[in-house]
Amino acid sequence: MPGQHGPRRARIAFSDAAAKQLENITNEAELHALDRALVVLSVDPDAGIQIPGTTTGPQLRQYTDDIEHVRILYFVTALRTVVIVAYIEV
């Protein structure tokens, strides 16, 4: 009997700037909070709100978790399988 799988999760990729920010996070509580936010985005890339701007490039979105105090700016690729994290604030 084949196993039941949930919906496919989006892959998370970091821009160079976001990867550098990630390297500077050393507090375990902040890493845990960020991890929880990234899980939310991997399950539902549209969880954030669109940031008003131009329509010529990728539409930036902002995900904010007020309980965990995390803010992430990101965009979703055309295939909707990869979320590129552009900015991290924990």
Side-chain angles (χ1 to χ4, degrees), residues 8-74:
R8 183 172 174 224
R9 287 187 176 196
R11 190 183 78 185
I12 304 290
F14 297 91
S15 68
D16 290 342
K20 186 138 185 93
Q21 289 176 331
L22 185 60
E23 289 175 4
N24 293 328
I25 299 174
T26 57
N27 181 299
E28 189 171 326
E30 290 177 349
L31 286 172
H32 179 72
L34 177 60
D35 186 51
R36 289 175 52 99
L38 294 176
V39 167
V40 169
L41 292 178
S42 73
V43 172
D44 181 10
D46 294 324
I49 58 170
Q50 286 190 342
I51 297 173
T54 65
T55 58
T56 57
Q59 182 66 45
L60 279 178
R61 300 183 69 82
Q62 173 178 274
Y63 174 77
T64 304
D65 183 330
D66 293 328
I67 295 171
E68 295 285 351
H69 305 290
V70 175
R71 184 178 132 204
I72 300 173
L73 298 182
Y74 67 100

